[in-house]
Amino acid sequence: MAEERRQLSHLDAAGRARMVDISQKEESVREAVARGRVSVSPVTLALLKEAALPKGDVLTVAQVAGIMAAKRTAELIPMCHPIPLSGVDVRLWLSDEPPAVEIEARVRTKAATGVEMEALSAVSAAALTVYDMCKSAQRDMVIEGIRLISKTGGTRGDYVRLGESPPPAEA
């Protein structure tokens, strides 16, 4: 089976970086969901459960950091368009096995381009915030598995990563 070959949209014909012109694209409702995790030790997990870390409420601060990052993605990622966001929901929950802080970001817009990078930025910033707030207890945490789970809207159609399970209801 022949593999489909696509061009990188952020390169011009000469191979120079460019911001894609989206002026001819139709606005549509678009949503992207991303996830990631911060693997922690059982001791750090216990401190998180007890809200006993010195910098305060880790999960709430990380949630706010994720929302802020989604809103500022175009300032962080050079070729991203600044787009109006209709909604950003960042959820964090603790996992016992393996011990981790799980993170999910859901970002929505009505625009001519998608919000995948905003969702991924939200997860990344939330994960970095968890690391920052827990580093006094543990320095060898691992930020991992940051990935796009799904995206809807736009001309290229919907995407859903296979094998993903929904987050727990209480998350």
Side-chain angles (χ1 to χ4, degrees):
M1 179 164 102
E3 189 175 310
E4 182 181 336
R5 184 164 170 84
R6 292 184 186 236
Q7 298 296 328
L8 296 175
S9 62
H10 287 86
L11 297 178
D12 67 13
R16 293 180 304 253
R18 69 181 176 110
M19 188 174 192
V20 175
D21 181 357
I22 60 170
S23 60
Q24 300 302 312
K25 292 176 74 177
E26 292 291 322
E27 284 190 354
S28 65
V29 174
R30 298 159 187 262
E31 179 177 88
V33 178
R35 286 192 191 147
R37 89 174 37 85
V38 181
S39 292
V40 299
S41 70
V43 171
T44 301
L45 183 65
L47 290 170
L48 284 160
K49 286 180 177 180
E50 297 164 14
L53 286 153
K55 288 191 175 182
D57 183 350
V58 174
L59 301 185
T60 298
V61 174
Q63 178 187 33
V64 172
I67 293 167
M68 291 174 66
K71 292 168 46 175
R72 310 234 16 201
T73 298
E75 295 174 34
L76 299 170
I77 311 298
M79 300 304 167
C80 281
H81 294 84
I83 57 176
L85 301 181
S86 323
V88 179
D89 182 25
V90 178
R91 299 170 58 188
L92 296 95
W93 64 96
L94 302 176
S95 170
D96 290 324
E97 203 49 51
V101 178
E102 300 286 345
I103 305 163
E104 179 180 274
R106 181 177 303 268
V107 181
R108 290 180 57 91
T109 190
K110 183 175 182 181
T113 189
V115 286
E116 296 95 312
M117 295 308 299
E118 287 75 6
L120 291 163
S121 293
V123 170
S124 299
L128 289 166
T129 301
V130 169
Y131 187 98
D132 176 56
M133 294 187 73
C134 295
K135 70 184 182 215
S136 65
Q138 181 185 355
R139 295 254 181 212
D140 65 346
M141 293 171 282
V142 176
I143 295 171
E144 58 191 357
I146 297 174
R147 65 217 183 266
L148 181 67
I149 299 300
S150 64
K151 74 115 192 139
T152 59
T155 57
R156 291 196 7 205
D158 296 349
Y159 165 81
V160 177
R161 178 179 293 274
L162 298 176
E164 293 290 336
S165 58
E170 69 276 359

